[in-house]
Amino acid sequence: MWRGVFNDSIMNKFAIIFFMLSTLSVSARTTVSVARYLGDRQCAVSLTFDDGMQEHYTLVAPHLDRYGLKGTFGINGKYIGDIDDRYSPRMTWSECRSLAAGGHEICSHTWSHPNLYYADNELVIEEIEKNDSAIIKEIGVKPMSFLYPFNAYMPFVKEACEKGRTGSRTYQFALGQRNSGCTLESAREWLRSVIDKREWGVAMTHGIYTGWDQWDEPWELWQFFCELAMQQDSVWIDTFSRVQAYVKERDAVKLNISEVDGSVVVKPSIDLDSTVFKMPLTLRLSGFDNDRCLRAVQGGHALQVVRKGDCCMVDINPFGPEVTIGYADEDILRGKSVCFIGDSYVANHGCPVSETWHYRVAEENGMKYYNLGRNGNSAVFERDSIYGLPILQRYSTIPADADLIVIIAGHNDAYIVGENLEKQAELRQGIDKLLKCLKRDYPKSKIGWVTPWNVEYNGFPAVLNIVNEVCRQNGVVVLDAALTSGINPNDSAFRARYFQSSADNAHLNAAGHELILDRGRQFLVNLCYE
């Protein structure tokens, strides 16, 4: 059963010491450091699923997809396609390919599920290589992480299983019911502990209705997925290999930081295999003048600088050349024309447009300002005629002279999408079409998107995931308001202070727009440098 116990508390103590050493000052007040997790989130969570059960495809994946979550599925090649398995029917290769195409991770769980602690060296290598070969042949990529059968391993096994991968699962929280006794409340308590301790939590699930550690009340697992998705502003939820890659890069990178001609120059060096480790690292930038915008460049390419709290963030390639960080040209926005198109966030609902952050940034920089906001409007879906055509059908009203085009939408689409996977697919296709049309019809314009915040309603996590993914695929800059804005639409006291009413979760008042002002200004500057 459990062998080779991994002490997570020791790992975290070493990580804290590392951060103390890698946080370097270039002046009395300016510091650059590596964020503990991507996007400077408080913690990370990976959801792993063992044994390649068919209900992982038919039940688990659809629930993950409803909330925009990605899972890691460990499979045994010998049993793939065995739908008559007495233990639990297994996925087919076609189903595995479908999961991989949807952004989930297919990883190795050995070829035939032996206990590797008791296996001889020859069998260990055979189990690894045979499963890798099958996955490469059927999925097209080498599995980049490894889940041990029975959670059992020893030093040689670990070394062999991790060769050419980001790593292997060496600790886990059993997210199962029949054998582990997990409940919705115990899962919540585990998540609270992960957040409080700033850890990387790895959940392990086997059966749902069949197999080991199955659930008598599966709805508790689905509810946990939903609640987890609502906390993506503080919890980075991603596949095992991606989080593992970030953690190892974070702990291995060295930053040589200097100040040259008033700019901060960061030279990363890292002794890892760049063909295996491909995650960006988030740098935290603090001590800079909050009244000025920043510009970051790596290898001649502009990087997106994002304000979050009292500091800024920028994602860098740790294997790339030096990063230069300095203040942006203060006149870069001056004289440009900017068009905001979207819903009532743009129109500002019942309050004057002049109170919005986007109007104020445009005014203070002498920009030509267009406001194409419509109350109740959506990005893709047609609603009642009083809300007007969606942006997908009315984008041609954007003035031809717009230097910057900013879409602020998704809130109303989230209520239409809900948990409906077909609607999610329609939204994904619609946003992709919209962005391609904008790039075709406005080739000289810089295009950006501001997401909604993560309202406690089932459609929002999926919409946030879709907007970020499709914009990234189309090279469109995103201001992820759910992650970086500091706006909490789910807290009644916060709404009473910063929204147009305490019952409102969509429309900021003047004080609320003030919270976004610096972030919005930095976002528009990012667009100019694209």
Side-chain angles (χ1 to χ4, degrees), residues 96 213 395 450:
C96 291
D213 210 7
Y395 74 88
V450 179

Side-chain angles (χ1 to χ4, degrees), residues 60-203:
V60 171
H63 280 282
L64 294 177
D65 292 341
R66 287 185 177 97
Y67 308 119
L69 303 176
K70 304 302 182 187
T72 294
F73 296 86
I75 65 171
N76 309 113
K78 179 179 180 178
Y79 304 113
I80 291 297
D82 187 355
I83 60 174
D84 296 321
D85 188 292
R86 63 178 181 80
Y87 177 69
S88 179
R90 307 303 176 101
M91 287 190 285
T92 64
W93 283 117
S94 176
E95 290 167 341
C96 291
R97 285 190 290 270
S98 179
L99 288 181
H104 300 288
E105 178 184 10
I106 300 296
C107 77
S108 181
H109 194 44
T110 70
W111 171 253
S112 64
H113 205 280
N115 187 324
L116 297 182
Y117 186 86
Y118 298 107
D120 60 41
N121 292 0
E122 184 177 343
L123 178 59
V124 170
I125 299 301
E126 179 183 351
E127 285 286 329
I128 294 170
E129 293 182 349
K130 197 169 184 179
N131 211 40
D132 281 355
S133 296
I135 293 173
I136 292 170
K137 177 184 176 181
E138 296 291 346
I139 309 297
V141 294
K142 178 181 176 178
M144 297 309 294
S145 60
F146 197 97
L147 311 182
Y148 300 105
F150 307 103
N151 302 317
Y153 64 95
M154 61 175 61
F156 167 77
V157 171
K158 185 174 186 291
E159 180 181 359
C161 290
E162 291 191 348
K163 185 177 181 180
R165 306 181 210 275
T166 62
S168 61
R169 188 184 64 194
T170 54
Y171 65 99
Q172 61 277 315
F173 171 75
L175 196 56
Q177 201 162 62
R178 183 68 62 86
N179 301 91
S180 301
C182 188
T183 64
L184 177 57
E185 186 49 45
S186 66
R188 288 169 174 163
E189 180 58 35
W190 170 73
L191 180 59
R192 285 192 291 268
S193 175
V194 168
I195 294 172
D196 291 343
K197 296 178 181 178
R198 299 179 61 82
E199 294 177 337
W200 171 25
V202 180

Side-chain angles (χ1 to χ4, degrees), residues 378-382 388-397 434:
S378 67
V380 170
F381 299 104
E382 289 193 56
L389 294 174
I391 300 171
L392 177 60
Q393 297 181 36
R394 68 180 180 97
Y395 74 88
S396 60
T397 59
L434 170 62

